[in-house]
Amino acid sequence: MKIFFYPIIALLLFYSCKTYVSIPPTTEGFNISSNNHMFEDFPSEYIGVDFYRETFSECGYRIGKTGIDGLKESKWLSGDADFDKNGNVVAKGKIYKEEYFKHGLRDSIFRQFDNDGKVIYETTFKMGTGLWKEFHDNRKVYFEAYTKDGYFTDTLRLYNKEGKNFEKRLYQKDVLVYYIGNDWCLRYRYKPNDSAYLEVDSYELKNLKQGAFRNTFSYKTKEEYENDHFAKSTLKR
């Protein structure tokens, strides 16, 4: 995974975990799945013959099944319900997301639910390609991003609870190219020359658009960028 993908995913997970739907106990099993590489940073627990449970610090579990190649397949559910070792729901809990995968990529139906159990968003993915949305508690969109073949590959837009767009991020295959937020307007240039790993151009911010050029941050190596305190607290947020 590219260096900018995990921070935004962790942030998006934190907010997306606020939307739930209650479900009653059931003894029916299910085959489930998830995204190809989006959650590698989160711990997974083997709970049955074919079922795995991913634990998120903020909002419970994501449970489903993988193929022999280790990639997620079929249906995955996210929430805080209790499951047995075969992936059955055994106690009343909350499910806030239902998603399906094929060879580790989102494929087929993608659903999210509000606090009353109603579908708040439903769409269809085709092998990792589709429009991904998450929502605030008041049902307003928190973020939306188009993915292609499992990658962020367009503009990711974030909104506050009043529906105002406060941040934009332009990705190309998960690599952040532009970041435009409340304080920064940044353009990332990887390997711009033989002596630099990364150069980040800073611009004035003008209504979520690029303004006048200010300065450039330069890093000779990937390690220098990864370990730089300023980059960690600003450029990589």
Side-chain angles (χ1 to χ4, degrees):
M1 283 301 302
K2 304 300 188 298
I3 55 179
F4 294 103
F5 193 60
Y6 289 136
I8 186 64
I9 286 299
L11 175 65
L12 299 181
L13 278 172
F14 174 80
Y15 281 93
S16 65
C17 290
K18 295 181 179 180
T19 302
Y20 299 94
V21 55
S22 295
I23 57 173
T26 177
T27 58
E28 297 179 2
F30 47 80
N31 299 321
I32 34 197
S33 142
S34 158
N35 200 301
N36 56 333
H37 51 249
M38 287 188 177
F39 297 93
E40 293 173 358
D41 277 352
F42 293 88
S44 296
E45 179 184 356
Y46 180 68
I47 64 170
V49 176
D50 294 313
F51 288 89
Y52 289 81
R53 179 172 64 190
E54 295 174 331
T55 303
F56 304 110
S57 60
E58 299 292 342
C59 57
Y61 308 104
R62 189 190 213 189
I63 187 170
K65 180 167 157 166
T66 61
I68 58 175
D69 52 7
L71 297 177
K72 294 179 173 66
E73 296 290 343
S74 192
K75 184 171 77 173
W76 283 71
L77 298 178
S78 301
D80 60 3
D82 291 329
F83 304 90
D84 66 16
K85 66 179 182 179
N86 296 313
N88 301 316
V89 178
V90 296
K92 185 176 180 180
K94 299 174 181 178
I95 297 296
Y96 62 84
K97 187 182 299 180
E98 175 187 0
E99 49 193 334
Y100 295 77
F101 290 80
K102 186 176 182 180
H103 305 311
L105 293 169
R106 278 199 180 101
D107 193 67
S108 187
I109 298 298
F110 176 88
R111 294 189 182 99
Q112 294 190 71
F113 307 92
D114 66 13
N115 293 327
D116 297 321
K118 297 179 180 179
V119 175
I120 193 172
Y121 180 61
E122 180 173 332
T123 189
T124 300
F125 281 82
K126 181 65 175 179
M127 293 305 293
T129 300
L131 181 62
W132 181 14
K133 293 184 180 182
E134 300 284 349
F135 296 83
H136 290 288
D137 290 338
N138 62 1
R139 298 175 61 98
K140 289 187 178 293
V141 173
Y142 167 58
F143 87 89
E144 56 185 0
Y146 185 76
T147 65
K148 183 176 176 60
D149 301 325
Y151 294 100
F152 279 172
T153 187
D154 205 334
T155 301
L156 183 149
R157 294 178 172 85
L158 294 101
Y159 302 87
N160 61 23
K161 288 190 174 183
E162 288 68 49
K164 183 178 179 180
N165 178 209
F166 67 90
E167 185 174 301
K168 294 180 181 179
R169 298 180 183 221
L170 175 62
Y171 289 87
Q172 293 179 356
K173 276 199 169 184
D174 291 353
V175 176
L176 184 61
V177 179
Y178 269 100
Y179 170 91
I180 304 176
N182 290 323
D183 304 315
W184 293 90
C185 179
L186 305 170
R187 178 171 178 254
Y188 294 81
R189 294 184 287 117
Y190 292 87
K191 298 182 179 178
N193 53 60
D194 293 337
S195 61
Y197 160 73
L198 174 67
E199 289 183 349
V200 183
D201 296 328
S202 174
Y203 298 86
E204 292 180 359
L205 189 63
K206 191 174 182 180
N207 298 322
L208 285 178
K209 294 183 179 180
Q210 177 180 309
F213 174 77
R214 295 194 297 190
N215 60 346
T216 296
F217 309 101
S218 182
Y219 299 90
K220 292 182 179 180
T221 65
K222 179 179 179 180
E223 289 72 24
E224 180 184 355
Y225 174 71
E226 293 286 351
N227 297 323
D228 184 70
H229 176 74
F230 173 76
K232 289 180 180 178
S233 60
T234 56
L235 304 183
K236 293 181 66 177
R237 61 181 184 174

